Amino acid sequence: MSVRGAGLLPDLEQWQQWERGRRRVMNTARGLKHRARPAAPEQAVLHLPADEPRTLVIIEKFTPSCRQAIVAPLRHLSPRTTAVLTPAGHDVDDVMPGLTPTAHTGTQQLAPSITSVLSLGAYLGLSAPVEAWAARRDVPFHLVQHGLLTPASPPASRGAHVLAWSDDDAEYWWAGRLDVSVDVVGSQMLWEVSRMPRAEVTNERPVMLGQLHGTELTRAQALRTYWSACRGQGGGGMDYRPHPNENDAVSRALHTVMRRGGITFDSTSSPLAELGRPVVSIFSTGTLEAAMRGLPAWVTATDPPAWVRDFWRRYRLAEWGSEPTPPWPMPDEEPAAALARAVEGA
């Protein structure tokens, strides 16, 4: 299936309804039975500071991009007045030592002294009830952007204050919304990448970054691009680098078809910068990260839909055959510090 038009859905409830339908379609395609089962309550831990908390940070995902977006700002928040809510089994001692963990039993446990909440989004399990709690008390709910935006990205909840990567992303968050405010703080992920050593090209043959696992494009749309680019039609040929999440039965079957069709695979687990090769994708974050490390990087697609072209424009991604994608300009202030200042100053 494909996503809607070029823009975020204007309502989080609409997105959640669309997401539930998407999962039913995916389960059906994979031969899985869809049963309405009550979700098991997620066990969580509330890490409390020495003084009365004023800021609550909710960290529900510990993937690299999420750690950069919402864990890194902890280094710039006051350890004496910041509480952190995490799933059980996670701690934040490495960035904010001295907090006291206690079992989280619900929003009734949250201190009335809290005047600011920071989250990856109210679409997540721990954040949803806290967002409702904050709305009832007129407490600012800050949403930190943690990746590139597509029309399939979850929109902001009503009244959220979004901390965005760029002016163009701010407009994307704002579109059709009168209830959302946005500040631009930059991308901590790209900030950290920009401070890594410049990568050197040691192999001129490009790698095409696979995204067969994604939901934004149909597999047929993505496969047309990969087939054309990797077979050399107008591009000189590339090696296909499957995404780590391309491990479902359909993706594996398509890999077999691609190999039989003469497409060569790069299946190494080495970071892109260590490969020392040009990078191409349809809309992968890896293209922008490669450009930040100094590698030639492009995007390409066979008959791309309008939202893909809008995505390329918004992130200044260069099409294959033109000059490579330029690095993003970096702000003077570290994004994590700017984000912390915005949250504590709310």
Side-chain angles (χ1 to χ4, degrees):
M1 65 181 293
S2 60
V3 296
R4 294 86 43 211
L8 294 171
L9 279 172
D11 184 88
L12 182 57
E13 287 75 18
Q14 291 181 35
W15 180 87
Q16 289 170 327
Q17 184 179 2
W18 170 83
E19 174 70 3
R20 286 192 293 270
R22 181 189 71 87
R23 290 190 180 277
R24 283 195 294 269
V25 170
M26 290 181 65
N27 285 342
T28 301
R30 293 174 180 176
L32 301 177
K33 293 182 179 179
H34 179 78
R35 297 175 181 173
R37 296 177 180 173
E42 186 171 12
Q43 294 185 335
V45 175
L46 183 62
H47 308 261
L48 294 171
D51 297 338
E52 285 192 336
R54 295 185 56 81
T55 301
L56 173 64
V57 180
I58 310 172
I59 308 174
E60 303 193 55
K61 296 182 179 181
F62 284 80
T63 63
S65 62
C66 292
R67 287 188 65 89
Q68 290 160 330
I70 201 167
V71 177
L74 292 181
R75 296 189 178 92
H76 304 276
L77 292 169
S78 169
R80 297 197 64 85
T81 58
T82 300
V84 182
L85 182 61
T86 69
H90 293 277
D91 61 60
V92 291
D93 286 346
D94 56 333
V95 288
M96 188 171 276
L99 301 184
T100 302
T102 181
H104 178 63
T105 57
T107 55
Q108 72 279 358
Q109 188 183 9
L110 299 179
S113 58
I114 293 173
T115 58
S116 189
V117 176
L118 177 65
S119 167
L120 293 169
Y123 69 100
L124 295 166
L126 295 181
S127 294
V130 176
E131 188 274 337
W133 174 90
R136 291 194 298 270
R137 290 160 177 77
D138 201 25
V139 171
F141 185 85
H142 305 276
L143 188 165
V144 56
Q145 180 177 336
H146 63 279
L148 305 182
L149 298 174
T150 75
S153 300
S157 52
R158 293 186 183 93
H161 176 225
V162 179
L163 300 162
W165 281 16
S166 69
D167 290 338
D168 286 338
D169 277 343
E171 292 183 8
Y172 204 71
W173 284 106
W174 261 324
R177 301 292 296 268
L178 298 177
D179 62 323
V180 170
S181 59
V182 185
D183 276 333
V184 176
V185 297
S187 165
Q188 182 69 17
M189 179 188 74
L190 296 179
W191 170 277
E192 293 180 10
V193 172
S194 72
R195 274 147 180 75
M196 295 179 181
R198 184 178 177 85
E200 298 296 331
V201 176
T202 57
N203 184 341
E204 296 290 344
R205 185 173 173 85
V207 288
M208 166 62 74
L209 305 183
Q211 293 173 276
L212 287 172
H213 67 294
T215 59
E216 292 86 352
L217 294 174
T218 65
R219 294 182 197 263
Q221 287 175 310
L223 186 60
R224 282 196 295 271
T225 293
Y226 302 148
W227 198 269
S228 175
C230 297
R231 289 289 299 273
Q233 299 175 21
M238 306 175 190
D239 293 340
Y240 183 76
R241 181 179 168 97
H243 191 278
N245 288 339
E246 291 180 24
N247 52 15
D248 60 281
V250 176
S251 292
R252 294 197 304 271
L254 291 176
H255 292 168
T256 299
V257 172
M258 293 164 72
R259 286 189 170 97
R260 288 175 179 172
I263 294 176
T264 55
F265 275 54
D266 174 81
S267 299
T268 63
S269 59
S270 301
L272 287 176
E274 292 181 10
L275 289 181
R277 300 175 64 177
V279 172
V280 186
S281 77
I282 301 177
F283 61 98
S284 172
T285 307
T287 299
L288 199 49
E289 291 180 282
M292 297 299 292
R293 294 294 301 273
L295 291 174
W298 295 272
V299 287
T300 189
T302 301
D303 298 324
W307 76 261
V308 170
R309 290 201 174 277
D310 176 71
F311 182 96
W312 294 349
R313 175 201 59 78
R314 192 155 23 94
Y315 295 110
R316 300 172 177 82
L317 299 168
E319 288 192 61
W320 175 252
S322 64
E323 289 296 312
T325 299
W328 257 31
M330 287 291 102
D332 294 332
E333 183 178 19
E334 180 184 4
L339 189 152
R341 184 163 47 80
V343 170
E344 286 191 324

PDB file of all heavy atoms in Angstrom, residues 20-38:
ATOM      1  N   ARG A  20      -3.502   1.188  12.239  1.00  0.00           N
ATOM      2  CA  ARG A  20      -4.133  -0.096  12.568  1.00  0.00           C
ATOM      3  C   ARG A  20      -4.558  -0.830  11.295  1.00  0.00           C
ATOM      4  O   ARG A  20      -4.382  -2.049  11.178  1.00  0.00           O
ATOM      5  CB  ARG A  20      -5.348   0.127  13.478  1.00  0.00           C
ATOM      6  CG  ARG A  20      -4.984   0.479  14.911  1.00  0.00           C
ATOM      7  CD  ARG A  20      -6.193   0.405  15.814  1.00  0.00           C
ATOM      8  NE  ARG A  20      -7.176   1.434  15.496  1.00  0.00           N
ATOM      9  CZ  ARG A  20      -7.190   2.645  16.048  1.00  0.00           C
ATOM     10  NH1 ARG A  20      -6.275   2.978  16.946  1.00  0.00           N
ATOM     11  NH2 ARG A  20      -8.137   3.515  15.732  1.00  0.00           N
ATOM     12  N   GLY A  21      -5.108  -0.089  10.321  1.00  0.00           N
ATOM     13  CA  GLY A  21      -5.478  -0.712   9.050  1.00  0.00           C
ATOM     14  C   GLY A  21      -4.271  -1.235   8.302  1.00  0.00           C
ATOM     15  O   GLY A  21      -4.313  -2.312   7.697  1.00  0.00           O
ATOM     16  N   ARG A  22      -3.160  -0.464   8.342  1.00  0.00           N
ATOM     17  CA  ARG A  22      -1.932  -0.907   7.672  1.00  0.00           C
ATOM     18  C   ARG A  22      -1.419  -2.203   8.274  1.00  0.00           C
ATOM     19  O   ARG A  22      -1.005  -3.122   7.558  1.00  0.00           O
ATOM     20  CB  ARG A  22      -0.869   0.188   7.795  1.00  0.00           C
ATOM     21  CG  ARG A  22       0.451  -0.145   7.108  1.00  0.00           C
ATOM     22  CD  ARG A  22       1.508   0.875   7.460  1.00  0.00           C
ATOM     23  NE  ARG A  22       1.937   0.745   8.836  1.00  0.00           N
ATOM     24  CZ  ARG A  22       2.896  -0.066   9.248  1.00  0.00           C
ATOM     25  NH1 ARG A  22       3.512  -0.848   8.387  1.00  0.00           N
ATOM     26  NH2 ARG A  22       3.231  -0.128  10.524  1.00  0.00           N
ATOM     27  N   ARG A  23      -1.472  -2.312   9.593  1.00  0.00           N
ATOM     28  CA  ARG A  23      -0.989  -3.531  10.248  1.00  0.00           C
ATOM     29  C   ARG A  23      -1.863  -4.730   9.906  1.00  0.00           C
ATOM     30  O   ARG A  23      -1.369  -5.844   9.746  1.00  0.00           O
ATOM     31  CB  ARG A  23      -0.931  -3.316  11.757  1.00  0.00           C
ATOM     32  CG  ARG A  23       0.169  -2.348  12.181  1.00  0.00           C
ATOM     33  CD  ARG A  23       0.355  -2.334  13.679  1.00  0.00           C
ATOM     34  NE  ARG A  23       1.404  -1.408  14.051  1.00  0.00           N
ATOM     35  CZ  ARG A  23       2.697  -1.704  14.037  1.00  0.00           C
ATOM     36  NH1 ARG A  23       3.072  -2.929  13.653  1.00  0.00           N
ATOM     37  NH2 ARG A  23       3.609  -0.823  14.387  1.00  0.00           N
ATOM     38  N   ARG A  24      -3.180  -4.506   9.790  1.00  0.00           N
ATOM     39  CA  ARG A  24      -4.057  -5.614   9.402  1.00  0.00           C
ATOM     40  C   ARG A  24      -3.714  -6.105   8.005  1.00  0.00           C
ATOM     41  O   ARG A  24      -3.668  -7.315   7.755  1.00  0.00           O
ATOM     42  CB  ARG A  24      -5.527  -5.166   9.469  1.00  0.00           C
ATOM     43  CG  ARG A  24      -6.094  -5.113  10.875  1.00  0.00           C
ATOM     44  CD  ARG A  24      -7.608  -5.021  10.848  1.00  0.00           C
ATOM     45  NE  ARG A  24      -8.054  -3.757  10.271  1.00  0.00           N
ATOM     46  CZ  ARG A  24      -8.281  -2.657  10.971  1.00  0.00           C
ATOM     47  NH1 ARG A  24      -8.078  -2.650  12.274  1.00  0.00           N
ATOM     48  NH2 ARG A  24      -8.710  -1.559  10.368  1.00  0.00           N
ATOM     49  N   VAL A  25      -3.452  -5.142   7.088  1.00  0.00           N
ATOM     50  CA  VAL A  25      -3.088  -5.521   5.723  1.00  0.00           C
ATOM     51  C   VAL A  25      -1.766  -6.284   5.714  1.00  0.00           C
ATOM     52  O   VAL A  25      -1.620  -7.309   5.045  1.00  0.00           O
ATOM     53  CB  VAL A  25      -2.995  -4.266   4.828  1.00  0.00           C
ATOM     54  CG1 VAL A  25      -2.393  -4.620   3.479  1.00  0.00           C
ATOM     55  CG2 VAL A  25      -4.371  -3.639   4.641  1.00  0.00           C
ATOM     56  N   MET A  26      -0.776  -5.809   6.489  1.00  0.00           N
ATOM     57  CA  MET A  26       0.531  -6.472   6.528  1.00  0.00           C
ATOM     58  C   MET A  26       0.410  -7.868   7.128  1.00  0.00           C
ATOM     59  O   MET A  26       1.025  -8.817   6.641  1.00  0.00           O
ATOM     60  CB  MET A  26       1.516  -5.621   7.327  1.00  0.00           C
ATOM     61  CG  MET A  26       1.912  -4.331   6.631  1.00  0.00           C
ATOM     62  SD  MET A  26       3.095  -3.355   7.600  1.00  0.00           S
ATOM     63  CE  MET A  26       4.510  -4.451   7.589  1.00  0.00           C
ATOM     64  N   ASN A  27      -0.383  -8.011   8.184  1.00  0.00           N
ATOM     65  CA  ASN A  27      -0.553  -9.328   8.791  1.00  0.00           C
ATOM     66  C   ASN A  27      -1.223 -10.300   7.832  1.00  0.00           C
ATOM     67  O   ASN A  27      -0.854 -11.468   7.740  1.00  0.00           O
ATOM     68  CB  ASN A  27      -1.378  -9.216  10.074  1.00  0.00           C
ATOM     69  CG  ASN A  27      -0.584  -8.621  11.222  1.00  0.00           C
ATOM     70  OD1 ASN A  27       0.640  -8.597  11.181  1.00  0.00           O
ATOM     71  ND2 ASN A  27      -1.277  -8.117  12.231  1.00  0.00           N
ATOM     72  N   THR A  28      -2.224  -9.804   7.091  1.00  0.00           N
ATOM     73  CA  THR A  28      -2.900 -10.644   6.105  1.00  0.00           C
ATOM     74  C   THR A  28      -1.930 -11.086   5.019  1.00  0.00           C
ATOM     75  O   THR A  28      -1.907 -12.244   4.607  1.00  0.00           O
ATOM     76  CB  THR A  28      -4.081  -9.890   5.480  1.00  0.00           C
ATOM     77  OG1 THR A  28      -4.996  -9.526   6.512  1.00  0.00           O
ATOM     78  CG2 THR A  28      -4.793 -10.755   4.455  1.00  0.00           C
ATOM     79  N   ALA A  29      -1.090 -10.125   4.545  1.00  0.00           N
ATOM     80  CA  ALA A  29      -0.134 -10.437   3.489  1.00  0.00           C
ATOM     81  C   ALA A  29       0.888 -11.463   3.950  1.00  0.00           C
ATOM     82  O   ALA A  29       1.402 -12.257   3.164  1.00  0.00           O
ATOM     83  CB  ALA A  29       0.579  -9.165   3.029  1.00  0.00           C
ATOM     84  N   ARG A  30       1.178 -11.471   5.261  1.00  0.00           N
ATOM     85  CA  ARG A  30       2.180 -12.389   5.796  1.00  0.00           C
ATOM     86  C   ARG A  30       1.557 -13.680   6.314  1.00  0.00           C
ATOM     87  O   ARG A  30       2.244 -14.531   6.878  1.00  0.00           O
ATOM     88  CB  ARG A  30       2.963 -11.703   6.919  1.00  0.00           C
ATOM     89  CG  ARG A  30       3.810 -10.546   6.404  1.00  0.00           C
ATOM     90  CD  ARG A  30       4.465  -9.792   7.534  1.00  0.00           C
ATOM     91  NE  ARG A  30       5.288  -8.686   7.035  1.00  0.00           N
ATOM     92  CZ  ARG A  30       5.909  -7.809   7.814  1.00  0.00           C
ATOM     93  NH1 ARG A  30       5.799  -7.895   9.120  1.00  0.00           N
ATOM     94  NH2 ARG A  30       6.632  -6.851   7.277  1.00  0.00           N
ATOM     95  N   GLY A  31       0.224 -13.816   6.128  1.00  0.00           N
ATOM     96  CA  GLY A  31      -0.437 -15.037   6.547  1.00  0.00           C
ATOM     97  C   GLY A  31      -0.648 -15.128   8.043  1.00  0.00           C
ATOM     98  O   GLY A  31      -0.842 -16.214   8.584  1.00  0.00           O
ATOM     99  N   LEU A  32      -0.635 -13.976   8.717  1.00  0.00           N
ATOM    100  CA  LEU A  32      -0.830 -13.979  10.161  1.00  0.00           C
ATOM    101  C   LEU A  32      -2.286 -13.669  10.487  1.00  0.00           C
ATOM    102  O   LEU A  32      -2.923 -12.853   9.825  1.00  0.00           O
ATOM    103  CB  LEU A  32       0.075 -12.936  10.832  1.00  0.00           C
ATOM    104  CG  LEU A  32       1.570 -13.108  10.592  1.00  0.00           C
ATOM    105  CD1 LEU A  32       2.328 -11.961  11.246  1.00  0.00           C
ATOM    106  CD2 LEU A  32       2.061 -14.433  11.151  1.00  0.00           C
ATOM    107  N   LYS A  33      -2.807 -14.321  11.495  1.00  0.00           N
ATOM    108  CA  LYS A  33      -4.175 -14.046  11.917  1.00  0.00           C
ATOM    109  C   LYS A  33      -4.212 -12.784  12.748  1.00  0.00           C
ATOM    110  O   LYS A  33      -3.391 -12.576  13.640  1.00  0.00           O
ATOM    111  CB  LYS A  33      -4.719 -15.225  12.728  1.00  0.00           C
ATOM    112  CG  LYS A  33      -4.901 -16.495  11.914  1.00  0.00           C
ATOM    113  CD  LYS A  33      -5.495 -17.598  12.761  1.00  0.00           C
ATOM    114  CE  LYS A  33      -5.692 -18.878  11.938  1.00  0.00           C
ATOM    115  NZ  LYS A  33      -6.257 -19.961  12.773  1.00  0.00           N
ATOM    116  N   HIS A  34      -5.161 -11.923  12.397  1.00  0.00           N
ATOM    117  CA  HIS A  34      -5.324 -10.688  13.153  1.00  0.00           C
ATOM    118  C   HIS A  34      -6.421 -10.886  14.197  1.00  0.00           C
ATOM    119  O   HIS A  34      -7.570 -11.097  13.868  1.00  0.00           O
ATOM    120  CB  HIS A  34      -5.698  -9.530  12.216  1.00  0.00           C
ATOM    121  CG  HIS A  34      -5.900  -8.242  12.954  1.00  0.00           C
ATOM    122  ND1 HIS A  34      -4.854  -7.468  13.388  1.00  0.00           N
ATOM    123  CD2 HIS A  34      -7.038  -7.619  13.350  1.00  0.00           C
ATOM    124  CE1 HIS A  34      -5.330  -6.400  14.007  1.00  0.00           C
ATOM    125  NE2 HIS A  34      -6.652  -6.472  13.999  1.00  0.00           N
ATOM    126  N   ARG A  35      -6.066 -10.846  15.443  1.00  0.00           N
ATOM    127  CA  ARG A  35      -7.019 -11.024  16.511  1.00  0.00           C
ATOM    128  C   ARG A  35      -6.979  -9.815  17.440  1.00  0.00           C
ATOM    129  O   ARG A  35      -5.902  -9.298  17.743  1.00  0.00           O
ATOM    130  CB  ARG A  35      -6.699 -12.286  17.317  1.00  0.00           C
ATOM    131  CG  ARG A  35      -6.794 -13.572  16.498  1.00  0.00           C
ATOM    132  CD  ARG A  35      -6.358 -14.770  17.318  1.00  0.00           C
ATOM    133  NE  ARG A  35      -6.413 -16.000  16.538  1.00  0.00           N
ATOM    134  CZ  ARG A  35      -5.953 -17.162  16.982  1.00  0.00           C
ATOM    135  NH1 ARG A  35      -5.411 -17.252  18.186  1.00  0.00           N
ATOM    136  NH2 ARG A  35      -6.039 -18.247  16.217  1.00  0.00           N
ATOM    137  N   ALA A  36      -8.140  -9.390  17.835  1.00  0.00           N
ATOM    138  CA  ALA A  36      -8.231  -8.256  18.747  1.00  0.00           C
ATOM    139  C   ALA A  36      -7.930  -8.740  20.161  1.00  0.00           C
ATOM    140  O   ALA A  36      -8.784  -9.292  20.846  1.00  0.00           O
ATOM    141  CB  ALA A  36      -9.616  -7.625  18.681  1.00  0.00           C
ATOM    142  N   ARG A  37      -6.705  -8.576  20.590  1.00  0.00           N
ATOM    143  CA  ARG A  37      -6.306  -8.983  21.927  1.00  0.00           C
ATOM    144  C   ARG A  37      -5.988  -7.747  22.755  1.00  0.00           C
ATOM    145  O   ARG A  37      -5.356  -6.811  22.263  1.00  0.00           O
ATOM    146  CB  ARG A  37      -5.058  -9.872  21.867  1.00  0.00           C
ATOM    147  CG  ARG A  37      -5.277 -11.187  21.136  1.00  0.00           C
ATOM    148  CD  ARG A  37      -3.974 -11.957  21.052  1.00  0.00           C
ATOM    149  NE  ARG A  37      -4.146 -13.214  20.365  1.00  0.00           N
ATOM    150  CZ  ARG A  37      -3.126 -14.013  20.032  1.00  0.00           C
ATOM    151  NH1 ARG A  37      -1.891 -13.662  20.326  1.00  0.00           N
ATOM    152  NH2 ARG A  37      -3.359 -15.146  19.411  1.00  0.00           N
ATOM    153  N   PRO A  38      -6.386  -7.721  23.987  1.00  0.00           N
ATOM    154  CA  PRO A  38      -6.040  -6.561  24.815  1.00  0.00           C
ATOM    155  C   PRO A  38      -4.527  -6.493  24.991  1.00  0.00           C
ATOM    156  O   PRO A  38      -3.863  -7.507  25.240  1.00  0.00           O
ATOM    157  CB  PRO A  38      -6.755  -6.852  26.151  1.00  0.00           C
ATOM    158  CG  PRO A  38      -6.978  -8.339  26.155  1.00  0.00           C
ATOM    159  CD  PRO A  38      -7.165  -8.736  24.711  1.00  0.00           C
TER     160      PRO A  38
END
